[in-house]
Amino acid sequence: MNFLQIANARQSCRAYDENRPVEEEKLNAILEAARLAPSACNGQPYHLTVCRGETAKEVALATKGPGGMNKFAPQAPVCIVISEMPYCKGAALGVKLKGTDYRSIDMGIVTAYLTAEAAAQGLSTCILGWLDDDKIRTLCGLEYPVRLVITLGYAREGDKLRAKKRKEMEELVSWR
Ligand SMILES: Cc1cc2nc3c(=O)[nH]c(=O)nc-3n(C[C@H](O)[C@H](O)[C@H](O)COP(=O)(O)O)c2cc1C
């Protein structure tokens, strides 16, 4: 698949096949893609915690929100927790001088790499931003804030590729 095909294939999966585990080599490829992601000053101010089995279930339960939000998450056999790490010196100076939240940008990019490689491997993901930081930090033994949880697994049979709802190109892009 080329990148546009991957971008079209990736969608938020909210129906996982609970009985189909993620192969170790596919998981490793996904983590390698994440490892190769660029970041401000190459600081990589994040940590990835791979949760499987009972820990994945508990982490998933800690993403439940009002109105049944994220109730599908415990079906996913794997949860990847993305937590913050301190800035490196260069990025810290940039933050101070420019006031830009580089770390959030970096975590977005690592998430994009990870979810794109998952799609390339035929796996499905959902990025979860609604989460209980305290609970997940305790479950994973993390010192710094948890920012995202990525559910990962195979989509349940019959889970169709949806048409993408996005801004029109004219609204998204301007040319000068
Ligand atoms: C930072 C971030 C946080 C998100 N949090 C949630 C979430 O808590 N629960 C959920 O079901 N989807 C969540 N999503 C998924 C978005 O709703 C989804 O990406 C968007 O609607 C586009 O749909 P698609 O991913 O299927 O293309 C999140 C996505 C991002 C990028």
Side-chain angles (χ1 to χ4, degrees):
M1 280 203 273
N2 66 33
F3 188 74
L4 264 186
Q5 290 167 325
I6 293 169
N8 274 298
R10 189 220 56 83
Q11 66 179 4
S12 296
C13 175
R14 299 185 178 95
Y16 291 94
D17 183 343
E18 295 184 77
N19 302 314
R20 194 166 168 199
V22 176
E23 298 86 342
E24 198 85 11
E25 64 274 17
K26 291 193 176 188
L27 185 51
N28 286 335
I30 291 164
L31 296 171
E32 177 62 3
R35 198 178 70 86
L36 296 175
S39 57
C41 300
N42 202 19
Q44 305 156 70
Y46 38 70
H47 182 76
L48 272 52
T49 307
V50 180
C51 304
R52 293 179 286 188
E54 205 41 47
T55 314
K57 290 239 176 316
E58 287 182 55
V59 165
L61 285 171
T63 67
K64 261 194 180 171
M69 194 197 290
N70 299 337
K71 70 169 195 275
F72 63 87
Q75 302 164 355
V78 179
C79 282
I80 301 175
V81 173
I82 303 187
S83 57
E84 288 186 8
M85 289 295 282
Y87 279 116
C88 65
K89 271 191 191 148
L93 185 67
V95 174
K96 207 169 160 189
L97 298 180
K98 294 286 176 198
T100 306
D101 178 9
Y102 295 111
R103 184 160 38 205
S104 292
I105 297 169
D106 294 342
M107 284 191 279
I109 297 171
V110 81
T111 299
Y113 270 49
L114 192 155
T115 53
E117 180 58 24
Q121 295 286 341
L123 281 148
S124 293
T125 54
C126 191
I127 303 163
L128 308 181
W130 184 282
L131 52 86
D132 186 326
D133 172 38
D134 279 347
K135 267 193 201 158
I136 301 175
R137 239 196 271 187
T138 305
L139 281 166
C140 297
L142 295 165
E143 191 178 347
Y144 299 106
V146 171
R147 299 294 299 276
L148 291 171
V149 169
I150 317 295
T151 51
L152 172 71
Y154 284 96
R156 211 180 289 159
E157 223 180 280
D159 191 46
K160 297 227 162 57
L161 186 64
R162 303 180 295 272
K164 297 268 186 284
K165 288 186 197 158
R166 298 293 190 264
K167 289 178 183 173
E168 293 301 327
M169 193 64 89
E170 297 70 36
E171 192 189 349
L172 177 70
V173 180
S174 54
W175 301 69
R176 293 280 185 269

